[in-house]
Amino acid sequence: MAQEYDRLLQFLEDCKDADGDAKYEKALSGLAPQNEKSLIVDWNDLYAYDTGLATTLLNEPQTILRELVAAASQKMLMRDPAYLQEIKTVRVRIRSPPFEIPIRMIRASHIGSLIMISGVITRATVAKPLITDAMYLCLGCAELMLVPQPYPTLQPPEKCPTCQSRRLLLDPSQSKYMDVQWLTAQERPEDLPPGQMPHGVRIRVRDDLVGKVNPGDRVKITCTIEAVQTDKTNLTLDSYLEANHIEAIGTDQGGLEITPEDEEAILELAEDPWIHRRLLQSIAPSIKGLEEIKEAILYLLFRGVAKELPDVRIKGDINVLLVGDPGTGKSQLLQYTAKTAPRGILTTGRGSTAAGLTAAAVKEKGGGFILEAGALVLADRGVCCIDELDKMREEDRGAIHPAMEQQVVNIAKGGIVATLNARTAILAAANPVLGRYNPYQTIAENINLPVTLLNRFDLIFVIRDLPNPEKDAQIVEHILATHRGGGVVAPVDPGLLRKYIAYAKRINPELTEESGARLSEFYLEMRKASLEGGEASAITITARQVEGLIRLTEARARLHLREETTVEDADAAIALTQRSLEQVGVDVTTGKVDIDILYSGKPRSLQVQLQVILNVISEMSRGGAVRDEDLYEALAGKGIGRAEAAKFIGVLMRDGTIFAPTPGYYRRTS
Ligand SMILES: Nc1ncnc2c1ncn2[C@@H]1O[C@H](COP(=O)(O)OP(=O)(O)OP(=O)(O)O)[C@@H](O)[C@H]1O
Ligand SMILES: [Mg+2]
Ligand SMILES: [Zn+2]
């Protein structure tokens, strides 16, 4: 042992960093100023120094760690005895041991050795005190004895060493404690075998590791497997992981490894003048048509550039909503996107709660609270696909609003106060209220979603299932081909596409003056058009849409791996935005794009007409009800035909502005 101790002491002295400085001496001297207790040792350094010791560390971690702690503490004693006195010992944490074990592959054979796992934290308990040394009071002779507690369950001494009495009492106030916290880690969605549920493990973290990570964080954990006997007769043991070191990994690559060969393939692909088209054709190739939606998904995957200003953070994420008739491929598109996006999550609004989407503090069996991450948090820096958004309960859906705007989730409950990141792009799908999309109604009437939620989406698309012999033939041919197995092959293989997206995120294209000018020109034109609508304008196209346009422009530049945006990028962003506005905002009466629909729920021309009718009803009824025939006649005098009048009356009846006290009579709901 002494031999290993000397060798490790030497290792701490000798190991050099890239600048030739003594790496661990430097790290040790940094502990006190930063109030840290742990020295982090890279396993590869030890391996380079002494292969044998590094291997023993993996097989007998307890022994070698004890020696390392002694060696590091000895160094601290020479350097700063006062600080050592304060922290008792220097903790030693091992980062990047070899052989990462997938969570689902952890086996009994790993018990006792040092392993590394990676995953995403889904739950965390609040910190609790753990007894490290239990103080026992002998009821026979009043002797106090401090008994170390190295095991997961409390081990009282058998009898008093002085008087042999077996009547011993635990004295909590004189026992010694350290912080302990339980975490649950799950396999990262991107590591899952297709169609598999994620496996999870329980992890115990102690001491200064407590509170280091939050639900939603992606982590690499160095740990040992501990088995506990919960019941003396049971042969199977409960097990958990005891963390030695936790490292949050926050890279944008979503856990994807990009090799130099990958990089070569990516750069070569980016040179292709048809790259945009090739990527577009690689988005959900089994779905025929829906080109503009696929383009929107493409930009959503690449996302715009997030800006960290001194006072605020402006998100770069693009949110897209698909509203459509049943069986039009929405769910398929969402599934595809969740699979392709680095850190993609697919969830359905049906049965989802606010907590399931964001995060929750839940009461544990034993009393305390645990913090549990929901879909938006798990998809941090990724894409969260929410199917059947309309099937969610109103109060649950409300939780999405702040997450979409601020991109964080705040939790303050049961002693847990946490802010979790939810920097995610959202792709959502919904059905129209009455099953099918009604073009004579506004988008807000067609889907049962509040306007405040609608205008948080950068792009909204309507998919209608209209019989169209030519298109139908194409789709059926396409589906048949897919089923025969000869379906369309994506020009860019999905694996490469994922890596391409992850790689592209390294680039933050700058918005050039020319492309910015193009966007502002479009914006001002839209503003003017909405003024020309007549009446003092209600809310019109807002700064929000400008930000959306910028994000789309940046995303398109990023897709080309360009450092700057071009006028073409801006034009494409404008064209896509226009397509979306036409689909949701087109005023069916005038045929003009009418942003008012998005915000007030009704096109302006319809609002004007409805107001005329309401005025007539008020005038004619004078507090009573008006007969329908009289009303039609009066309206005809104002140039509103019978069929049109019936439609408008229908609209007013549906929103409850008027009602029929007796059949054939109308009256205003005051
Ligand atoms: N344009 C299309 N091209 C190829 N296949 C399609 C197309 N539209 C729909 N399909 C096929 O029809 C089936 C139903 O699609 P999907 O489940 O995605 O519909 P949906 O829009 O989610 O419907 P719902 O609103 O009822 O949930 C899928 O198997 C899908 O492949
Ligand atoms: Mg569906
Ligand atoms: Zn005694």
Side-chain angles (χ1 to χ4, degrees), residues 560-582:
H560 291 92
L561 305 187
R562 273 196 259 102
E563 299 278 354
E564 289 190 334
T565 63
T566 62
V567 173
E568 292 83 71
D569 294 333
D571 283 340
I574 289 170
L576 196 61
T577 304
Q578 259 171 335
R579 288 297 298 265
S580 164
L581 287 174
E582 274 162 28

Side-chain angles (χ1 to χ4, degrees), residues 246-388:
I246 300 190
E247 194 169 356
I249 40 176
T251 63
D252 259 335
Q253 289 179 17
L256 281 179
E257 182 124 17
I258 296 174
T259 63
E261 295 85 74
D262 292 332
E263 183 165 357
E264 208 172 300
I266 289 165
L267 292 176
E268 192 192 312
L269 196 56
E271 304 248 303
D272 187 334
W274 295 104
I275 176 66
H276 189 273
R277 192 145 107 201
R278 284 182 69 185
L279 291 179
L280 192 57
Q281 285 172 348
S282 305
I283 299 288
S286 70
I287 294 293
K288 179 87 188 159
L290 305 180
E291 253 78 37
E292 72 266 18
I293 294 175
K294 291 182 181 180
E295 191 177 348
I297 291 175
L298 191 60
Y299 298 151
L300 171 140
L301 286 169
F302 280 90
R303 68 187 60 203
V305 181
K307 283 127 198 150
E308 306 277 354
L309 304 181
D311 48 343
V312 283
R313 176 177 182 279
I314 301 175
K315 64 172 185 172
D317 296 306
I318 295 163
N319 299 320
V320 178
L321 173 65
L322 311 179
V323 184
D325 294 343
T328 45
K330 299 183 298 297
S331 296
Q332 291 268 324
L333 284 169
L334 262 60
Q335 262 182 38
Y336 171 85
T337 309
K339 255 201 319 224
T340 305
R343 295 189 188 177
I345 294 260
L346 178 64
T347 178
T348 167
R350 196 190 290 274
S352 274
T353 58
L357 269 181
T358 57
V362 232
K363 197 123 192 175
E364 243 185 329
K365 264 186 263 142
F369 277 87
I370 49 178
L371 186 55
E372 217 169 50
L376 290 168
V377 171
L378 293 177
D380 180 39
R381 288 173 187 261
V383 178
C384 187
C385 299
I386 310 174
D387 205 353
E388 320 231 10

Side-chain angles (χ1 to χ4, degrees), residues 632 641-651:
Y632 285 131
R642 201 184 171 93
E644 227 182 338
K647 189 179 97 191
F648 293 148
I649 289 170
V651 171

Side-chain angles (χ1 to χ4, degrees), residues 169-466:
L169 208 63
L170 176 72
D171 183 352
S173 69
Q174 294 201 62
S175 297
K176 297 212 163 97
Y177 301 90
M178 73 161 72
D179 286 330
V180 65
Q181 180 184 30
W182 287 91
L183 305 174
T184 303
Q186 238 176 39
E187 290 170 293
R188 296 177 302 187
E190 58 268 26
D191 295 339
L192 278 186
Q196 297 276 322
M197 289 289 287
H199 285 214
V201 278
R202 291 194 320 138
I203 300 158
R204 190 171 82 158
V205 300
R206 287 187 297 173
D207 211 352
D208 55 337
L209 289 185
V210 169
K212 277 260 156 51
V213 292
N214 273 322
D217 285 348
R218 275 138 215 274
V219 292
K220 279 191 188 300
I221 305 180
T222 308
C223 53
T224 52
I225 306 175
E226 304 292 325
V228 227
Q229 198 169 28
T230 43
D231 158 2
K232 288 222 160 68
T233 57
N234 206 333
L235 277 183
T236 55
L237 302 181
D238 263 353
S239 68
Y240 64 88
L241 303 181
E242 177 73 46
N244 166 264
H245 180 54
I246 300 190
E247 194 169 356
I249 40 176
T251 63
D252 259 335
Q253 289 179 17
L256 281 179
E257 182 124 17
I258 296 174
T259 63
E261 295 85 74
D262 292 332
E263 183 165 357
E264 208 172 300
I266 289 165
L267 292 176
E268 192 192 312
L269 196 56
E271 304 248 303
D272 187 334
W274 295 104
I275 176 66
H276 189 273
R277 192 145 107 201
R278 284 182 69 185
L279 291 179
L280 192 57
Q281 285 172 348
S282 305
I283 299 288
S286 70
I287 294 293
K288 179 87 188 159
L290 305 180
E291 253 78 37
E292 72 266 18
I293 294 175
K294 291 182 181 180
E295 191 177 348
I297 291 175
L298 191 60
Y299 298 151
L300 171 140
L301 286 169
F302 280 90
R303 68 187 60 203
V305 181
K307 283 127 198 150
E308 306 277 354
L309 304 181
D311 48 343
V312 283
R313 176 177 182 279
I314 301 175
K315 64 172 185 172
D317 296 306
I318 295 163
N319 299 320
V320 178
L321 173 65
L322 311 179
V323 184
D325 294 343
T328 45
K330 299 183 298 297
S331 296
Q332 291 268 324
L333 284 169
L334 262 60
Q335 262 182 38
Y336 171 85
T337 309
K339 255 201 319 224
T340 305
R343 295 189 188 177
I345 294 260
L346 178 64
T347 178
T348 167
R350 196 190 290 274
S352 274
T353 58
L357 269 181
T358 57
V362 232
K363 197 123 192 175
E364 243 185 329
K365 264 186 263 142
F369 277 87
I370 49 178
L371 186 55
E372 217 169 50
L376 290 168
V377 171
L378 293 177
D380 180 39
R381 288 173 187 261
V383 178
C384 187
C385 299
I386 310 174
D387 205 353
E388 320 231 10
L389 184 65
D390 52 317
K391 309 289 188 300
M392 270 186 101
R393 292 189 315 162
E394 185 97 36
E395 54 267 42
D396 293 323
R397 208 163 41 213
I400 307 175
H401 290 215
M404 277 177 98
E405 203 79 338
Q406 275 77 47
Q407 300 209 296
V408 292
V409 168
N410 290 306
I411 284 277
K413 189 181 163 195
I416 294 179
V417 179
T419 299
L420 307 175
N421 282 319
R423 294 158 294 185
T424 165
I426 295 177
L427 175 63
N431 285 118
V433 182
L434 299 170
R436 295 201 146 245
Y437 200 86
N438 178 352
Y440 296 105
Q441 285 188 348
T442 64
I443 182 102
E445 287 169 315
N446 261 299
I447 41 175
N448 188 18
L449 293 177
V451 182
T452 46
L453 182 60
L454 285 183
N455 63 29
R456 280 178 166 75
F457 285 96
D458 299 293
L459 296 168
I460 303 177
F461 292 98
V462 175
I463 314 178
R464 296 181 58 200
D465 185 19
L466 301 174

Side-chain angles (χ1 to χ4, degrees), residues 138 140-143 160 162-165:
C138 171
C141 68
E143 168 100 5
C160 169
T162 317
C163 75
Q164 313 298 318
S165 165

